[in-house]
């Protein structure tokens, strides 16, 4: 009985293996790249030289020196035609300019992918604001690219924090400043606040003077200063009813009349 089970298991294993092999064999091969050569250029990065082939249809492909030589795009060494000629001064192979305008066929498997571009470093102020308001520096840089100065961006970030406890509304606030329409922010405003029609009114409704770019850069700002519940609705009647009427009864009755004795 055990022998039968073992035979059945082995047979099942063979079926699975053949099925996988069949799938691999059935995988479609990539079509060769064919086109007319428009330009051949050399690029060296970290001591490694590659060849960039541009076709007349606009496609560009990067291949190794050996691949480019096998395609006949580099000048062979007169002393050893099986190798590309290396210029003794530059240390680089010579491009065969006679191949410009000639049709070439490139194996896709030999194409070297272009290196991923390094992310651009953010502006130092963008980085500072990003750390303070817990957003990505690229977002702050994006606001700057849209034409806003760091002072206005910092105000928008502060006001967003005042309204929503985070910086998620900053983009909406900056858009409102640009187009003068604050209606999309109405639901975030304190109850009883009249919808602002300009930037000055909006700042007065939801901002505090101490919360600005300077306070962040100087390190004096506290991210916990945002307090939506304390925002003014414009009805604060500061009447100062302290009854300090000066009734100290200091009537100055010292009778110092300056009479001289005889």
């Amino acid at each position: 009985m055990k022998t039968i089970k073992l035979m059945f298991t082995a047979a099942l294993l063979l079926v699975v293996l053949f099925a996988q092999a069949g799938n691999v064999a059935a995988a479609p091969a990539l079509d060769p790249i064919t086109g007319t050569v428009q330009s051949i250029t050399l690029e060296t990065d970290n001591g490694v030289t590659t060849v960039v082939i541009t076709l007349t249809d606009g496609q560009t492909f990067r291949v190794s020196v050996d691949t480019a030589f096998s395609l006949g795009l580099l000048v062979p060494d007169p002393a050893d035609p099986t190798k590309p000629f290396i210029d003794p001064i530059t240390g680089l192979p010579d491009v065969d300019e006679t191949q410009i305008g000639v049709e070439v066929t490139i194996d896709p498997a030999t194409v070297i992918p272009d290196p991923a571009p390094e992310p651009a470093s953010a502006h130092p102020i963008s980085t500072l604001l990003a750390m303070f308001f817990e957003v990505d520096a690229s977002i702050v840089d994006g606001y700057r690219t849209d034409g806003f100065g760091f002072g206005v961006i910092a105000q928008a970030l502060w006001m967003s924090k005042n309204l929503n406890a985070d910086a998620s509304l900053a983009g909406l606030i900056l858009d409102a400043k640009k187009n003068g329409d604050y209606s999309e922010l109405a639901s975030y405003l304190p109850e009883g606040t009249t919808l602002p029609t300009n930037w000055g009114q909006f700042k007065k409704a939801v901002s505090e003077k101490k919360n600005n770019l300077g306070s962040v850069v100087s390190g004096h700002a506290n991210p916990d200063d945002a307090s939506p519940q304390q925002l003014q609705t414009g009805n604060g009647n500061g009447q100062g009813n302290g009854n300090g009427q000066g009734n100290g009864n200091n009537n100055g009755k010292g009778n110092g009349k300056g009479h001289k004795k005889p």
Side-chain angles (χ1 to χ4, degrees):
M1 187 68 177
K2 287 183 179 179
T3 304
I4 295 174
K5 285 184 179 180
L6 285 171
M7 290 175 64
F8 177 76
T9 303
L12 187 61
L13 221 82
L14 286 171
V15 170
V16 172
L17 288 173
F18 277 120
Q20 290 179 344
N23 288 337
V24 172
L30 295 174
D31 293 331
I33 303 161
T34 302
T36 303
V37 177
Q38 178 173 301
S39 67
I40 309 165
T41 56
L42 303 175
E43 289 188 2
T44 301
D45 185 23
N46 292 327
V48 178
T49 300
T50 54
V51 182
V52 178
I53 307 165
T54 302
L55 305 181
T56 53
D57 62 2
Q59 296 187 84
T60 299
F61 304 96
R62 183 186 304 276
V63 298
S64 68
V65 169
D66 288 341
T67 298
F69 181 68
S70 69
L71 294 172
L73 304 179
L74 303 177
V75 176
D77 189 338
D80 184 357
T82 63
K83 297 179 180 179
F85 173 74
I86 304 298
D87 189 301
I89 298 176
T90 64
L92 299 174
D94 275 356
V95 170
D96 189 348
E97 299 292 346
T98 64
Q99 297 303 305
I100 304 298
V102 175
E103 189 173 275
V104 68
T105 299
I106 306 170
D107 181 355
T110 64
V111 174
I112 302 171
D114 286 333
E118 293 184 6
S121 57
H123 191 284
I125 299 298
S126 295
T127 303
L128 191 63
L129 290 173
M131 291 175 60
F132 186 84
F133 291 102
E134 299 181 340
V135 297
D136 194 284
S138 64
I139 294 176
V140 182
D141 266 348
Y143 297 150
R144 186 164 166 261
T145 302
D146 290 340
F148 298 103
F150 282 125
V152 171
I153 294 171
Q155 289 175 4
L157 289 166
W158 267 120
M159 289 189 281
S160 174
K161 199 169 178 66
N162 287 342
L163 290 174
N164 204 43
D166 58 30
S168 61
L169 297 179
L172 201 60
I173 292 171
L174 291 171
D175 285 342
K177 183 183 189 314
K178 182 183 290 186
N179 58 38
D181 181 5
Y182 295 84
S183 57
E184 290 191 47
L185 294 162
S187 60
Y188 297 97
L189 295 173
E191 187 176 351
T193 303
T194 303
L195 182 67
T197 58
N198 57 56
W199 183 245
Q201 292 176 1
F202 186 73
K203 281 202 303 180
K204 186 175 181 181
V206 300
S207 181
E208 297 180 30
K209 289 184 179 180
K210 66 176 181 177
N211 294 337
N212 52 43
L213 176 62
S215 64
V216 176
V217 173
S218 66
H220 294 151
N222 183 350
D224 295 329
D225 281 349
S227 49
Q229 69 276 12
Q230 295 179 8
L231 293 174
Q232 298 299 316
T233 60
N235 298 320
N237 299 318
Q239 297 175 357
N241 297 321
N243 294 323
Q245 299 176 1
N247 297 322
N249 296 322
N250 240 339
N251 295 321
K253 297 179 179 179
N255 295 323
K257 298 182 181 179
H259 296 295
K260 294 182 180 180
K261 291 182 180 181

Coordinates of all heavy atoms in Angstrom, one line a residue, residues 131-208:
M131 N 9.5 69.1 8.4 CA 9.7 68.4 9.6 C 8.8 69.0 10.7 O 8.2 68.2 11.5 CB 11.2 68.6 10.1 CG 12.2 67.9 9.2 SD 13.9 68.2 9.6 CE 13.9 67.7 11.3
F132 N 8.6 70.3 10.7 CA 7.8 70.9 11.7 C 6.3 70.5 11.6 O 5.6 70.2 12.6 CB 7.9 72.4 11.7 CG 7.2 73.1 12.8 CD1 7.8 73.3 14.0 CD2 5.9 73.7 12.6 CE1 7.2 74.0 15.0 CE2 5.3 74.3 13.6 CZ 5.9 74.5 14.9
F133 N 5.8 70.5 10.4 CA 4.4 70.2 10.1 C 4.1 68.8 9.8 O 3.0 68.4 9.4 CB 3.8 71.2 9.1 CG 3.7 72.6 9.5 CD1 4.7 73.5 9.1 CD2 2.7 73.0 10.3 CE1 4.6 74.8 9.5 CE2 2.6 74.3 10.8 CZ 3.6 75.2 10.3
E134 N 5.1 67.9 9.8 CA 5.0 66.5 9.5 C 4.4 66.2 8.2 O 3.4 65.5 8.0 CB 4.2 65.8 10.6 CG 4.8 66.0 12.0 CD 4.0 65.3 13.1 OE1 2.8 65.1 12.9 OE2 4.6 65.0 14.2
V135 N 5.0 66.8 7.1 CA 4.6 66.5 5.8 C 5.9 66.2 5.0 O 7.0 66.4 5.5 CB 3.9 67.7 5.1 CG1 2.6 68.0 5.8 CG2 4.8 69.0 5.1
D136 N 5.7 65.8 3.7 CA 6.9 65.5 2.9 C 7.4 66.8 2.3 O 6.7 67.7 1.9 CB 6.5 64.6 1.7 CG 7.7 64.0 1.0 OD1 8.3 64.7 0.2 OD2 8.0 62.8 1.3
A137 N 8.8 66.9 2.3 CA 9.4 68.2 1.8 C 9.0 68.5 0.4 O 9.0 69.6 0.0 CB 10.9 68.1 2.0
S138 N 8.8 67.4 -0.4 CA 8.4 67.6 -1.8 C 7.1 68.4 -1.9 O 6.9 69.1 -2.9 CB 8.4 66.3 -2.5 OG 7.3 65.5 -2.0
I139 N 6.2 68.2 -1.0 CA 4.9 68.9 -1.0 C 5.1 70.4 -0.8 O 4.6 71.2 -1.5 CB 4.0 68.3 0.1 CG1 3.6 66.9 -0.2 CG2 2.7 69.2 0.2 CD1 2.8 66.2 0.9
V140 N 6.0 70.7 0.1 CA 6.3 72.1 0.4 C 7.0 72.7 -0.9 O 6.7 73.8 -1.3 CB 7.2 72.3 1.6 CG1 7.5 73.8 1.9 CG2 6.5 71.7 2.8
D141 N 7.9 72.0 -1.4 CA 8.6 72.4 -2.6 C 7.6 72.6 -3.8 O 7.7 73.5 -4.6 CB 9.7 71.4 -3.1 CG 11.1 71.8 -2.5 OD1 11.2 72.9 -2.0 OD2 12.0 71.0 -2.6
G142 N 6.6 71.8 -3.8 CA 5.5 71.9 -4.8 C 4.8 73.2 -4.7 O 4.5 73.9 -5.7
Y143 N 4.5 73.6 -3.4 CA 3.8 74.9 -3.2 C 4.7 76.0 -3.7 O 4.2 77.0 -4.3 CB 3.5 75.1 -1.7 CG 2.5 74.1 -1.1 CD1 2.6 73.7 0.2 CD2 1.5 73.5 -1.9 CE1 1.7 72.8 0.8 CE2 0.6 72.6 -1.3 CZ 0.8 72.2 0.0 OH -0.1 71.3 0.6
R144 N 6.0 75.9 -3.5 CA 6.9 76.9 -3.9 C 7.0 77.0 -5.5 O 7.0 78.1 -6.0 CB 8.3 76.6 -3.3 CG 9.3 77.7 -3.6 CD 10.5 77.4 -2.6 NE 11.7 78.2 -3.0 CZ 12.7 77.7 -3.7 NH1 12.7 76.5 -4.1 NH2 13.7 78.5 -4.0
T145 N 6.9 75.8 -6.1 CA 6.9 75.8 -7.6 C 5.7 76.4 -8.1 O 5.7 77.0 -9.2 CB 7.0 74.3 -8.0 OG1 8.2 73.7 -7.5 CG2 7.1 74.2 -9.6
D146 N 4.6 76.3 -7.4 CA 3.3 76.9 -7.8 C 3.3 78.5 -7.7 O 2.4 79.1 -8.0 CB 2.2 76.4 -7.0 CG 1.9 74.9 -7.4 OD1 2.3 74.5 -8.4 OD2 1.2 74.2 -6.5
G147 N 4.4 79.0 -7.1 CA 4.6 80.4 -7.1 C 4.4 81.1 -5.7 O 4.4 82.3 -5.6
F148 N 4.2 80.3 -4.7 CA 4.0 80.8 -3.3 C 5.3 81.0 -2.6 O 6.2 80.1 -2.7 CB 3.0 79.9 -2.5 CG 1.7 79.8 -3.1 CD1 1.3 78.6 -3.8 CD2 0.7 80.8 -3.0 CE1 0.0 78.5 -4.3 CE2 -0.5 80.7 -3.5 CZ -0.9 79.6 -4.2
G149 N 5.5 82.1 -1.9 CA 6.6 82.3 -1.1 C 6.6 81.5 0.2 O 5.5 81.0 0.7
F150 N 7.7 81.3 0.9 CA 7.8 80.5 2.1 C 6.9 81.1 3.2 O 6.4 80.4 4.0 CB 9.2 80.3 2.5 CG 10.0 79.2 1.8 CD1 11.2 79.5 1.1 CD2 9.5 77.9 1.6 CE1 11.8 78.6 0.4 CE2 10.1 77.0 0.9 CZ 11.3 77.3 0.3
G151 N 6.9 82.4 3.2 CA 6.1 83.0 4.3 C 4.6 82.7 4.2 O 3.9 82.3 5.2
V152 N 4.0 82.7 3.0 CA 2.6 82.4 2.7 C 2.4 80.9 2.9 O 1.4 80.5 3.5 CB 2.2 82.8 1.3 CG1 0.8 82.3 1.0 CG2 2.2 84.3 1.2
I153 N 3.4 80.1 2.5 CA 3.3 78.6 2.7 C 3.2 78.3 4.2 O 2.4 77.5 4.6 CB 4.4 77.9 2.0 CG1 4.4 78.1 0.5 CG2 4.4 76.4 2.4 CD1 5.6 77.6 -0.2
A154 N 4.1 78.9 5.0 CA 4.1 78.7 6.4 C 2.7 79.1 7.0 O 2.2 78.4 7.9 CB 5.2 79.5 7.1
Q155 N 2.2 80.3 6.6 CA 0.9 80.7 7.1 C -0.2 79.7 6.8 O -1.0 79.3 7.6 CB 0.5 82.1 6.5 CG 1.4 83.2 7.0 CD 1.0 84.5 6.3 OE1 0.1 84.5 5.4 NE2 1.8 85.5 6.6
A156 N -0.2 79.2 5.5 CA -1.2 78.2 5.1 C -1.1 76.9 5.9 O -2.1 76.3 6.3 CB -1.0 77.9 3.6
L157 N 0.2 76.5 6.2 CA 0.4 75.3 7.0 C -0.1 75.5 8.4 O -0.8 74.6 9.0 CB 1.8 74.9 7.0 CG 2.4 74.4 5.7 CD1 3.9 74.4 5.7 CD2 1.9 73.0 5.4
W158 N 0.2 76.6 9.0 CA -0.3 77.0 10.3 C -1.8 77.0 10.4 O -2.5 76.4 11.3 CB 0.2 78.3 10.8 CG 1.5 78.3 11.6 CD1 2.7 78.9 11.3 CD2 1.7 77.6 12.8 NE1 3.6 78.6 12.2 CE2 3.1 77.9 13.2 CE3 0.9 76.9 13.7 CZ2 3.6 77.4 14.4 CZ3 1.5 76.4 14.9 CH2 2.8 76.6 15.2
M159 N -2.4 77.7 9.4 CA -3.9 77.8 9.4 C -4.6 76.5 9.2 O -5.6 76.2 9.8 CB -4.3 78.8 8.3 CG -4.0 80.2 8.7 SD -4.7 81.5 7.6 CE -3.5 81.4 6.2
S160 N -4.0 75.6 8.4 CA -4.5 74.3 8.2 C -4.5 73.5 9.5 O -5.4 72.8 9.9 CB -3.7 73.5 7.2 OG -4.1 72.2 7.1
K161 N -3.4 73.7 10.3 CA -3.2 73.0 11.6 C -4.3 73.6 12.6 O -4.8 72.8 13.4 CB -1.8 73.2 12.1 CG -1.4 72.2 13.2 CD 0.1 72.3 13.4 CE 0.5 71.4 14.5 NZ 0.4 69.9 14.2
N162 N -4.5 74.9 12.5 CA -5.5 75.5 13.3 C -6.9 74.9 13.1 O -7.7 74.7 14.0 CB -5.5 77.0 13.2 CG -4.3 77.7 13.8 OD1 -3.6 77.1 14.6 ND2 -4.0 78.9 13.4
L163 N -7.2 74.8 11.8 CA -8.5 74.4 11.4 C -8.8 72.9 11.5 O -9.9 72.4 11.8 CB -8.8 74.8 9.9 CG -8.9 76.3 9.7 CD1 -9.0 76.6 8.2 CD2 -10.1 76.9 10.4
N164 N -7.7 72.1 11.2 CA -7.9 70.6 11.0 C -6.9 69.8 11.8 O -6.9 68.6 11.7 CB -7.9 70.3 9.6 CG -8.6 69.0 9.2 OD1 -9.8 68.8 9.7 ND2 -8.0 68.1 8.4
A165 N -6.1 70.4 12.7 CA -5.1 69.7 13.5 C -4.0 69.1 12.7 O -3.2 68.3 13.3 CB -5.8 68.7 14.4
D166 N -4.0 69.3 11.4 CA -2.8 68.8 10.6 C -2.7 69.7 9.4 O -3.4 70.7 9.3 CB -3.1 67.4 10.1 CG -4.3 67.2 9.3 OD1 -4.7 68.1 8.6 OD2 -4.9 66.1 9.3
A167 N -1.7 69.4 8.5 CA -1.4 70.3 7.4 C -2.1 69.9 6.1 O -1.8 70.4 5.0 CB 0.1 70.3 7.2
S168 N -3.1 69.1 6.2 CA -3.8 68.6 5.0 C -4.6 69.6 4.2 O -4.9 69.4 3.0 CB -4.7 67.4 5.4 OG -5.7 67.8 6.3
L169 N -4.9 70.7 4.8 CA -5.7 71.7 4.1 C -4.9 72.8 3.5 O -5.4 73.7 2.9 CB -6.7 72.4 5.1 CG -7.8 71.5 5.8 CD1 -8.6 72.3 6.7 CD2 -8.6 70.8 4.7
A170 N -3.5 72.7 3.7 CA -2.7 73.8 3.2 C -2.8 74.0 1.7 O -2.9 75.2 1.2 CB -1.2 73.5 3.5
G171 N -2.9 73.0 0.9 CA -3.1 73.2 -0.6 C -4.4 73.8 -0.9 O -4.4 74.7 -1.8
L172 N -5.5 73.5 -0.2 CA -6.8 74.1 -0.4 C -6.8 75.5 0.0 O -7.4 76.4 -0.7 CB -7.8 73.3 0.4 CG -9.3 73.4 0.0 CD1 -9.5 72.9 -1.4 CD2 -10.2 72.7 1.0
I173 N -6.1 75.9 1.1 CA -5.9 77.2 1.5 C -5.2 78.1 0.5 O -5.6 79.2 0.2 CB -5.3 77.3 2.9 CG1 -6.2 76.7 4.0 CG2 -4.9 78.7 3.3 CD1 -5.5 76.5 5.3
L174 N -4.1 77.5 0.0 CA -3.3 78.3 -1.0 C -4.1 78.5 -2.3 O -4.0 79.5 -3.0 CB -2.0 77.6 -1.3 CG -1.0 77.6 -0.1 CD1 0.2 76.6 -0.4 CD2 -0.5 79.0 0.2
D175 N -4.9 77.5 -2.7 CA -5.7 77.6 -3.9 C -6.7 78.7 -3.7 O -7.0 79.5 -4.6 CB -6.4 76.3 -4.2 CG -5.5 75.2 -4.8 OD1 -4.4 75.6 -5.3 OD2 -5.9 74.0 -4.8
A176 N -7.3 78.7 -2.5 CA -8.3 79.8 -2.2 C -7.7 81.2 -2.2 O -8.3 82.1 -2.7 CB -8.9 79.5 -0.8
K177 N -6.4 81.3 -1.8 CA -5.7 82.6 -1.8 C -5.5 83.0 -3.3 O -5.7 84.2 -3.6 CB -4.4 82.5 -1.1 CG -3.6 83.8 -1.1 CD -2.2 83.6 -0.5 CE -1.6 85.0 -0.3 NZ -1.6 85.9 -1.4
K178 N -5.2 82.0 -4.1 CA -5.0 82.3 -5.5 C -6.2 82.7 -6.3 O -6.2 83.7 -7.0 CB -4.3 81.1 -6.2 CG -4.0 81.3 -7.7 CD -3.4 80.0 -8.3 CE -2.1 79.7 -7.8 NZ -1.5 78.5 -8.5
N179 N -7.3 82.0 -6.0 CA -8.5 82.3 -6.8 C -9.6 83.2 -6.1 O -10.6 83.6 -6.6 CB -9.2 81.0 -7.3 CG -9.5 80.1 -6.2 OD1 -10.0 80.5 -5.1 ND2 -9.4 78.8 -6.4
G180 N -9.3 83.4 -4.8 CA -10.2 84.3 -4.0 C -11.5 83.7 -3.6 O -12.4 84.3 -3.1
D181 N -11.6 82.3 -3.7 CA -12.9 81.6 -3.4 C -12.6 80.7 -2.2 O -11.8 79.8 -2.2 CB -13.3 80.8 -4.6 CG -14.6 80.1 -4.3 OD1 -15.2 80.3 -3.2 OD2 -15.1 79.2 -5.1
Y182 N -13.2 81.1 -1.0 CA -13.0 80.4 0.2 C -14.1 79.4 0.6 O -14.2 78.9 1.7 CB -12.7 81.4 1.4 CG -11.4 82.1 1.2 CD1 -11.4 83.3 0.4 CD2 -10.2 81.7 1.8 CE1 -10.2 84.0 0.2 CE2 -9.1 82.4 1.6 CZ -9.1 83.6 0.8 OH -7.9 84.3 0.6
S183 N -15.0 79.2 -0.3 CA -16.2 78.4 0.0 C -15.9 77.0 0.3 O -16.6 76.4 1.2 CB -17.2 78.5 -1.2 OG -16.5 78.0 -2.4
E184 N -14.9 76.4 -0.2 CA -14.5 75.0 0.1 C -14.0 74.9 1.5 O -13.9 73.8 2.0 CB -13.5 74.5 -0.9 CG -14.1 74.3 -2.3 CD -13.1 73.5 -3.2 OE1 -12.6 72.5 -2.8 OE2 -12.9 73.9 -4.4
L185 N -13.7 76.0 2.1 CA -13.1 75.9 3.5 C -14.2 76.3 4.5 O -13.9 76.3 5.7 CB -12.0 76.9 3.6 CG -10.7 76.5 2.8 CD1 -9.8 77.7 2.7 CD2 -10.0 75.3 3.5
A186 N -15.4 76.6 4.0 CA -16.5 77.1 4.9 C -16.8 76.1 6.1 O -17.0 76.5 7.2 CB -17.7 77.4 4.1
S187 N -16.8 74.8 5.7 CA -17.1 73.8 6.8 C -16.1 73.7 7.9 O -16.4 73.1 8.9 CB -17.4 72.4 6.1 OG -16.2 72.0 5.4
Y188 N -14.9 74.2 7.6 CA -13.8 74.1 8.6 C -13.7 75.3 9.5 O -13.0 75.3 10.5 CB -12.5 73.9 7.9 CG -12.4 72.6 7.1 CD1 -12.6 72.6 5.8 CD2 -12.0 71.4 7.7 CE1 -12.5 71.5 5.0 CE2 -11.9 70.3 7.0 CZ -12.2 70.3 5.6 OH -12.1 69.1 4.9
L189 N -14.4 76.4 9.1 CA -14.3 77.7 9.9 C -15.1 77.5 11.2 O -16.1 76.8 11.3 CB -14.9 78.8 9.1 CG -14.1 79.1 7.8 CD1 -14.9 80.2 7.0 CD2 -12.7 79.7 8.1
P190 N -14.7 78.3 12.2 CA -15.4 78.3 13.5 C -16.9 78.7 13.3 O -17.2 79.5 12.4 CB -14.7 79.3 14.4 CG -13.3 79.4 13.7 CD -13.5 79.2 12.3
E191 N -17.7 78.1 14.1 CA -19.2 78.4 14.0 C -19.4 79.9 14.2 O -18.9 80.6 15.1 CB -20.0 77.6 15.0 CG -21.5 77.7 14.9 CD -22.2 76.9 15.9 OE1 -21.5 76.1 16.5 OE2 -23.4 77.0 16.0
G192 N -20.2 80.5 13.3 CA -20.6 81.9 13.4 C -19.7 82.8 12.6 O -19.9 84.0 12.5
T193 N -18.6 82.2 12.0 CA -17.7 83.0 11.2 C -18.2 83.3 9.8 O -18.7 82.4 9.1 CB -16.3 82.3 11.0 OG1 -15.8 82.0 12.3 CG2 -15.3 83.2 10.3
T194 N -18.2 84.6 9.5 CA -18.7 85.0 8.1 C -17.6 84.5 7.1 O -16.4 84.6 7.3 CB -18.8 86.5 8.0 OG1 -19.7 87.0 9.0 CG2 -19.3 86.9 6.6
L195 N -18.1 83.9 6.0 CA -17.2 83.4 5.0 C -16.3 84.5 4.4 O -16.8 85.5 3.9 CB -18.0 82.8 3.8 CG -17.1 82.2 2.7 CD1 -16.4 80.9 3.2 CD2 -18.0 81.8 1.5
P196 N -15.0 84.4 4.6 CA -14.1 85.4 4.1 C -14.1 85.6 2.6 O -14.5 84.6 1.8 CB -12.7 84.9 4.5 CG -12.9 83.9 5.5 CD -14.3 83.3 5.2
T197 N -13.9 86.8 2.1 CA -13.8 87.1 0.7 C -12.4 87.4 0.2 O -12.2 87.6 -1.0 CB -14.8 88.2 0.3 OG1 -14.5 89.4 1.1 CG2 -16.3 87.8 0.7
N198 N -11.5 87.5 1.1 CA -10.1 87.8 0.7 C -9.2 87.2 1.8 O -9.6 86.7 2.8 CB -9.9 89.3 0.6 CG -10.2 90.1 1.8 OD1 -9.6 89.8 2.9 ND2 -11.1 91.1 1.7
W199 N -7.9 87.2 1.4 CA -6.8 86.6 2.2 C -6.7 87.3 3.6 O -6.6 86.6 4.6 CB -5.5 86.7 1.5 CG -4.3 86.1 2.2 CD1 -3.2 86.7 2.7 CD2 -4.1 84.7 2.4 NE1 -2.3 85.8 3.2 CE2 -2.9 84.5 3.1 CE3 -4.9 83.5 2.2 CZ2 -2.4 83.3 3.5 CZ3 -4.4 82.3 2.6 CH2 -3.2 82.2 3.2
G200 N -6.9 88.6 3.7 CA -6.8 89.3 4.9 C -7.9 88.9 5.9 O -7.6 88.6 7.1
Q201 N -9.1 88.8 5.4 CA -10.2 88.3 6.3 C -10.0 86.9 6.7 O -10.3 86.5 7.9 CB -11.5 88.4 5.5 CG -12.0 89.8 5.2 CD -13.2 89.9 4.4 OE1 -13.8 88.8 4.0 NE2 -13.7 91.1 4.0
F202 N -9.5 86.0 5.8 CA -9.3 84.6 6.2 C -8.2 84.5 7.3 O -8.4 83.8 8.2 CB -8.9 83.8 4.9 CG -8.8 82.4 5.2 CD1 -9.9 81.6 5.4 CD2 -7.5 81.7 5.2 CE1 -9.8 80.2 5.6 CE2 -7.4 80.4 5.5 CZ -8.6 79.6 5.7
K203 N -7.1 85.3 7.1 CA -6.0 85.2 8.1 C -6.6 85.7 9.5 O -6.2 85.1 10.5 CB -4.9 86.1 7.7 CG -4.0 85.5 6.6 CD -2.6 86.1 6.6 CE -2.7 87.6 6.4 NZ -1.3 88.2 6.4
K204 N -7.4 86.8 9.4 CA -7.9 87.3 10.7 C -8.8 86.3 11.4 O -8.8 86.2 12.7 CB -8.7 88.6 10.4 CG -9.1 89.3 11.7 CD -9.8 90.6 11.3 CE -10.2 91.4 12.6 NZ -10.9 92.6 12.2
A205 N -9.5 85.5 10.6 CA -10.4 84.5 11.2 C -9.7 83.3 11.8 O -10.1 82.7 12.8 CB -11.4 84.1 10.2
V206 N -8.6 82.8 11.2 CA -8.1 81.5 11.5 C -6.6 81.5 11.9 O -6.0 80.5 12.1 CB -8.3 80.5 10.4 CG1 -9.8 80.3 10.2 CG2 -7.6 80.9 9.2
S207 N -6.0 82.7 11.9 CA -4.5 82.7 12.2 C -4.2 83.5 13.4 O -4.9 84.4 13.8 CB -3.8 83.3 10.9 OG -2.4 83.3 11.1
E208 N -3.0 83.2 13.9 CA -2.4 84.0 15.0 C -1.1 84.6 14.6 O -0.3 83.9 13.9 CB -2.2 83.1 16.3 CG -3.5 82.5 16.8 CD -3.2 81.7 18.0 OE1 -2.2 82.0 18.7 OE2 -4.0 80.7 18.3

